[in-house]
Amino acid sequence: MRAGAVLLPVELRDGGGEQPLRTPGTEGGPGVWLVRAETFRTVVARLAPVVLDSSEKERAAAFRRARDRDTYLAGHVGLRLLLGAHLGVPPADVPLERLPCPMCGGPHGRPVVRGDAVHFSLSHSEGVCLLACAAAPVGADIEAVPGLAVAEEVGACLHPRESAELSGLRPVDRPAAFARAWARKEAYLKGLGVGLGRAMSLDYVGTASGAVATVRGWTIVDVAVDDGYAAAVAVRC
């Protein structure tokens, strides 16, 4: 996988996503999958009650919007199906846990499969989920492109060079450029295991389409997703 490339995800679909054709992310870079909550609804209805653990069910129930809840369930059912296929165990028996946070030592670091070398990351936004698995630490992020006001307000919190790039664009182009930078940056921070605990202004990843900046020790690439979204995957190299 090289910086600047664009990954094409495999979509998990109702009727075909329950038996992935290959082991996740063990050859040729990360495996990347897309799950659309609407088209995965039948799988979720059948499997969520039996494959998700109590904490996942509690988290799902806490969502106020049905769409957010459906998206969360689709992503976590899809993740357990993929990891179960990799481990050769039922999806409900995938032993998930979290590493200690590298910043504070708390139990909210990067999620991992206990006792297995495969690494994974899950992100979801507005009805669409992105899953990534790799042989090295990996982070994935998908973002719905926001409105201009959000792009301008939150864009000011990015790296100074990224903020300057956004300011130089036409207003109509700023939201998509902001979403690209945010997805790249959050994928990298998820891979580190620190999430938004690290300031978004510290690392430069760029805003231009197809022009991801190099971050020492990591390869970050964009992922081809639906119009209205931006997505990226970061893998430690």
Side-chain angles (χ1 to χ4, degrees):
M1 187 176 76
R2 59 181 178 82
V6 177
L7 293 178
L8 298 176
V10 175
E11 183 174 355
L12 294 184
R13 296 179 180 272
D14 184 7
E18 296 177 55
Q19 297 181 355
L21 298 180
R22 64 185 180 88
T23 302
T26 56
E27 298 180 1
V32 183
W33 291 265
L34 196 69
V35 182
R36 293 183 174 88
E38 184 62 34
T39 58
F40 214 54
R41 187 180 300 275
T42 303
V43 174
V44 168
R46 184 171 69 254
L47 296 182
V50 294
V51 305
L52 300 185
D53 64 25
S54 59
S55 64
E56 289 169 313
K57 293 174 183 176
E58 290 173 3
R59 179 68 185 277
F63 285 103
R64 294 184 177 182
R65 292 201 310 165
R67 190 183 193 196
D68 294 337
R69 182 170 56 254
D70 291 345
T71 305
Y72 175 90
L73 290 170
H76 281 256
V77 169
L79 176 66
R80 283 187 170 273
L81 289 171
L82 288 169
L83 293 177
H86 166 71
L87 296 171
V89 302
D93 294 339
V94 174
L96 299 176
E97 63 182 11
R98 283 189 176 271
L99 296 175
C101 172
M103 298 184 69
C104 71
H108 48 261
R110 187 163 47 84
V112 296
V113 177
R114 184 172 62 250
D116 192 84
V118 70
H119 299 266
F120 68 89
S121 185
L122 165 63
S123 178
H124 42 80
S125 178
E126 298 295 335
V128 183
C129 308
L130 185 69
L131 308 171
C133 296
V138 61
D141 192 61
I142 186 167
E143 300 287 337
V145 176
L148 178 60
V150 171
E152 291 183 336
E153 179 180 357
V154 185
C157 302
L158 298 179
H159 189 281
R161 287 174 60 190
E162 293 162 349
S163 296
E165 290 171 4
L166 292 175
S167 297
L169 296 174
R170 298 181 305 162
V172 69
D173 295 326
R174 286 177 197 160
F178 164 78
R180 278 194 298 271
W182 190 272
R184 294 167 182 173
K185 200 174 298 265
E186 191 158 346
Y188 167 59
L189 297 182
K190 285 181 178 180
L192 288 177
V194 300
L196 298 180
R198 179 177 172 87
M200 301 296 273
S201 61
L202 293 178
D203 308 291
Y204 175 75
V205 296
T207 64
S209 178
V212 183
T214 300
V215 178
R216 174 183 285 187
W218 291 79
T219 300
I220 305 173
V221 299
D222 293 332
V223 178
V225 289
D226 301 350
D227 290 343
Y229 295 85
V233 168
V235 182
R236 193 174 71 187
C237 53

